[in-house]
Amino acid sequence: MIPFNIPPYVGTELGFVEQAAAANRKISGDGMFTKLCSEWLEERFGARKMLLTTSGTTALEMAAILCDLNPGDEVILPSYTFSTTATAFVLVGARLVFVDVRSDTMCIDETKIEEAITDKTRVIVPVHYAGVACEMDSIIDIARRYGLLVVEDAAQGVMSTYKGHHLGTIGDFGCYSFHETKNYSMGEGGAIAVNRSEHVERAEIIREKGTNRSRFFRGQVDKYTWVDYGSSYLPSDMNAAYLWAQLQVADEINDNRLATWGVYSRELKPLADAGLVSLPTIPEGCQHNAHMFYLKCCDLKERTELIGFLKARDIFPAFHYVPLHSSPAGLRFGRAVGSMRVTDADSDRLVRLPLYYDMSKDDALFVSEAVKEYYGQR
């Protein structure tokens, strides 16, 4: 059996977890391993401040709070994304404005953003789908011209870059996920990159239940107290210890996934050349992290047949998002602007192939041959 995903495991995780639990006996938030992970991410990605969170979802929630939105303010985002990209902003009372995605990358179509801007628009949320960057130069230019904030949903983009800049560090805030389905895992967890110095202190306060506890531990105040809105967004240090093991070999994990992605790309290119499927596009200047490999079938019927064909051979692929703009909550909390042609069509055609750390080349070849076998029968 070849599952869709196996959570990454490098073999040293439990030793660090034991150190956090048994040796240090510090398993609440902001222990030694939380700080080590945060410092590693700051240095590697070049972020002003990196704060670990309990999930990618809560990282987005923190970003939404830091944007200082008022009820009725509007946020522009793609419809083709996970629900938490939207719910983070709904929680603070914002209205969602959905726009279409590009067919080549499934990222937000930067040419559709300006027509969605109104006098109520406050934030643009580019989602870096499959670890491939949105067209950030254009998005940042639009944001600057209209005085808007940019929150990057880089949940899938850890280790990916755009013109040399790590995803999540280009906008005002960047949000990452370390869920077990991601390239690097702490089970449940995430991080927020705070890229403007004026937001750092408030981000620490929001993350620390609305208190200035971080300033207290730095010796900046003689006692800490409640000063602002906040919640408990700190992950356990045991989760951070688990992640720390994987960050020590981050490049090895990245290279391993890229090798598997490369097998799929080479083996399935003849199908794309024959016009039978569409394969992912990596724009110039973008370095992706092999978060996923997908192909697009002709239509929903063909995709359903292909998935069934692969499952009969003990291969377990998966489709992906149902568009938010047509979902019950999307209709309630937002609206779509312009044609959603690509989102509607491609969400029915896209299928993700198994891809995970330490997947063998033979398994990737087996999956590729099965896909080719399916199209060879048509």
Side-chain angles (χ1 to χ4, degrees):
M1 186 186 76
I2 300 178
F4 173 69
N5 178 63
I6 297 176
Y9 183 76
V10 300
T12 56
E13 288 90 342
L14 295 183
F16 289 122
V17 170
E18 183 179 10
Q19 184 177 342
N24 297 339
R25 299 191 180 182
K26 170 68 175 174
I27 60 174
S28 62
D30 276 346
M32 180 183 78
F33 289 105
T34 304
K35 293 174 183 176
L36 285 171
C37 289
S38 298
E39 290 168 359
W40 189 97
L41 293 166
E42 286 173 4
E43 182 177 348
R44 183 63 184 264
F45 293 177
R48 175 79 64 177
K49 186 70 174 180
M50 194 76 73
L51 298 170
L52 287 194
T53 61
T54 50
S55 66
T57 300
T58 54
L60 283 162
E61 291 175 5
M62 282 187 62
I65 296 166
L66 287 161
C67 286
D68 270 333
L69 299 176
N70 296 309
D73 287 345
E74 294 181 348
V75 175
I76 296 173
L77 70 161
S79 173
Y80 194 70
T81 184
F82 192 49
S83 60
T84 54
T85 310
T87 59
F89 294 93
V90 171
L91 283 172
V92 296
R95 292 290 295 172
L96 308 174
V97 179
F98 299 109
V99 298
D100 208 358
V101 294
R102 295 168 41 158
S103 187
D104 60 345
T105 62
M106 299 303 288
C107 292
I108 192 169
D109 188 336
E110 69 280 1
T111 68
K112 307 293 186 184
I113 293 174
E114 275 196 88
E115 66 180 299
I117 294 175
T118 72
D119 59 0
K120 295 181 179 180
T121 306
R122 298 292 180 267
V123 182
I124 303 171
V125 187
V127 179
H128 302 299
Y129 186 74
V132 178
C134 300
E135 177 41 55
M136 291 305 296
D137 281 351
S138 297
I139 293 170
I140 295 296
D141 175 66
I142 293 169
R144 286 175 177 166
R145 285 192 283 114
Y146 286 90
L148 308 177
L149 294 171
V150 174
V151 176
E152 295 177 73
D153 184 336
Q156 301 173 3
V158 176
M159 297 290 281
S160 295
T161 61
Y162 171 82
K163 297 184 178 180
H165 300 283
H166 278 272
L167 303 190
T169 68
I170 304 166
D172 297 279
F173 307 101
C175 302
Y176 308 93
S177 173
F178 296 115
H179 186 265
E180 68 172 30
T181 57
K182 302 302 189 289
N183 296 29
Y184 307 90
S185 172
M186 53 195 287
E188 294 279 359
I192 180 171
V194 183
N195 300 319
R196 305 289 178 264
S197 57
E198 62 267 28
H199 297 303
V200 170
E201 183 175 337
R202 187 161 187 240
E204 293 177 334
I205 290 169
I206 290 168
R207 181 171 170 268
E208 280 275 19
K209 310 170 186 70
T211 72
N212 58 352
R213 187 169 179 265
S214 293
R215 295 193 70 201
F216 169 73
F217 281 114
R218 287 195 294 266
Q220 295 171 313
V221 292
D222 58 1
K223 58 184 177 181
Y224 70 89
T225 187
W226 180 27
V227 296
D228 198 353
Y229 175 84
S231 190
S232 184
Y233 292 126
L234 284 68
S236 165
D237 208 50
M238 289 195 295
N239 294 63
Y242 199 96
L243 176 64
W244 178 244
Q246 296 179 14
L247 295 182
Q248 302 309 290
V249 290
D251 290 307
E252 177 186 318
I253 293 173
N254 197 52
D255 291 345
N256 181 272
R257 293 183 68 103
L258 285 167
T260 300
W261 195 98
V263 171
Y264 282 145
S265 182
R266 290 188 299 273
E267 292 296 317
L268 299 179
K269 186 176 183 297
L271 296 182
D273 291 344
L276 296 173
V277 300
S278 298
L279 299 182
T281 297
I282 312 300
E284 185 177 354
C286 298
Q287 176 58 57
H288 70 105
N289 63 354
H291 175 66
M292 74 173 78
F293 190 95
Y294 61 83
L295 58 85
K296 295 178 189 174
C297 304
C298 176
D299 52 29
L300 177 59
K301 180 176 181 294
E302 182 178 288
R303 183 182 75 175
T304 303
E305 289 179 357
L306 174 60
I307 289 175
F309 184 88
L310 295 177
K311 285 184 176 179
R313 285 149 182 78
D314 281 339
I315 299 167
F316 291 86
F319 54 85
H320 216 183
Y321 308 127
V322 176
L324 297 185
H325 73 276
S326 55
S327 68
L331 293 169
R332 178 182 175 189
F333 296 117
R335 71 179 192 279
V337 171
S339 167
M340 305 298 286
R341 178 184 58 82
V342 176
T343 299
D344 288 332
D346 286 16
S347 62
D348 282 344
R349 303 194 299 130
L350 189 145
V351 57
R352 297 176 292 162
L353 300 182
L355 199 165
Y356 41 86
Y357 170 63
D358 217 20
M359 182 178 183
S360 72
K361 182 178 180 180
D362 285 346
D363 281 353
L365 289 170
F366 182 76
V367 174
S368 301
E369 289 303 314
V371 173
K372 289 188 283 188
E373 181 185 354
Y374 169 78
Y375 283 99
Q377 290 181 350
R378 294 180 66 80

